[in-house]
Amino acid sequence: MIGSWDKNESNRSRATDLGCSCSETMERQRAVRFVLCLLTSGALVPVVVWAADNPCAAGPPVDTNPAECCPTPMLVDGTIMMDCYQKYGEQTKKQLKMDGIPRGCCIAECAMNATAMYADGMLRREDLSKMFMDAVRDKPEWMALVRDATNACFELAEHRMEEIEAGAKLEPSFEGEQICHPISGTILRCMGMMLFAQCPASVFTVNDNCNKLREYGSICPMI
């Protein structure tokens, strides 16, 4: 389970929250839904992937820091994320190259534990949404996108609940591997991918490397 979620919540948003026109709001929502469609229809790495067919196995096609292309907002405290990356970064890199049922991202679970947003396979959806929105309270260009992406990513998690639960039951496949529940990684990776893919034009740096990285980021997680 991922906690309570009102499927009508996204419909309650108002364009006037950000002073944008109805057409701009509809355009943004269509874009978010398009990315969500890609995530749920198989453009993202499939439920079961053979390593040879895994488009994410080799990592990003260019040696460019995503933040140089689009400085997406830090939705979780940076110190927490760095601490969790130091603990589980190498394990996560190995897991991204593995075939079979996707494994839970321990970096994400570590972060959700540190912020008290996760317990026993569940995320505190309302509190997590508030934390995300608080992270962009001074970034109006991101507020509506973060709100819509949060709803879309929880919808994705509902769509993939069978896969998520299967991932939580996996056994370690290499020495020292820790098995984490996939729900935290599902939400955080989805948020990161959607925000990068829909980076506002006023923020995104247009060049060959960044365009290639955005294409990669539309189907592969950055963590």
Side-chain angles (χ1 to χ4, degrees):
M1 297 179 66
I2 57 177
S4 61
W5 175 50
D6 182 354
K7 292 187 177 180
N8 294 316
E9 181 172 348
S10 61
N11 294 328
R12 300 189 189 118
S13 62
R14 295 292 183 268
T16 52
D17 290 345
L18 296 179
C20 59
S21 68
C22 291
S23 61
E24 289 173 330
T25 300
M26 292 176 65
E27 172 98 18
R28 183 185 61 253
Q29 290 177 341
R30 281 196 296 268
V32 169
R33 289 187 186 120
F34 175 72
V35 176
L36 177 62
C37 180
L38 292 179
L39 292 174
T40 58
S41 64
L44 188 65
V45 181
V47 174
V48 176
V49 182
W50 301 111
D53 299 324
N54 186 348
C56 307
V62 293
D63 187 20
T64 300
N65 187 329
E68 296 176 13
C69 301
C70 178
T72 55
M74 184 67 70
L75 300 180
V76 183
D77 181 86
T79 301
I80 290 175
M81 291 303 297
M82 182 57 66
D83 288 345
C84 292
Y85 182 83
Q86 289 176 348
K87 291 178 182 178
Y88 300 110
E90 292 305 313
Q91 168 178 298
T92 301
K93 290 177 184 177
K94 290 181 181 179
Q95 291 172 328
L96 286 174
K97 297 179 181 180
M98 296 172 64
D99 58 0
I101 297 171
R103 311 178 93 75
C105 176
C106 289
I107 297 173
E109 183 171 299
C110 169
M112 292 296 93
N113 275 325
T115 53
M117 296 293 168
Y118 169 85
D120 301 323
M122 293 183 64
L123 288 175
R124 298 169 58 185
R125 189 237 180 259
E126 291 185 5
D127 292 337
L128 187 59
S129 179
K130 183 179 184 302
M131 185 178 78
F132 288 167
M133 292 305 296
D134 284 347
V136 294
R137 63 181 178 272
D138 297 324
K139 303 180 190 305
E141 69 275 20
W142 287 102
M143 291 179 68
L145 180 55
V146 168
R147 181 191 61 226
D148 292 345
T150 300
N151 289 329
C153 288
F154 272 88
E155 182 179 335
L156 171 69
E158 292 283 2
H159 181 84
R160 293 192 162 181
M161 190 50 61
E162 184 175 340
E163 170 192 326
I164 288 171
E165 294 298 340
K169 298 174 183 177
L170 293 172
E171 297 292 333
S173 61
F174 55 84
E175 185 177 356
E177 182 185 19
Q178 179 171 328
I179 299 299
C180 292
H181 197 288
I183 184 59
S184 298
T186 298
I187 297 298
L188 291 190
R189 282 173 168 165
C190 174
M191 291 296 295
M193 293 170 72
M194 295 191 78
L195 296 186
F196 191 80
Q198 295 301 315
C199 184
S202 61
V203 177
F204 189 76
T205 298
V206 179
N207 59 44
D208 287 344
N209 279 2
C210 288
N211 290 339
K212 290 177 181 178
L213 195 60
R214 179 150 64 175
E215 182 178 355
Y216 171 85
S218 69
I219 60 172
C220 299
M222 296 292 187
I223 62 172

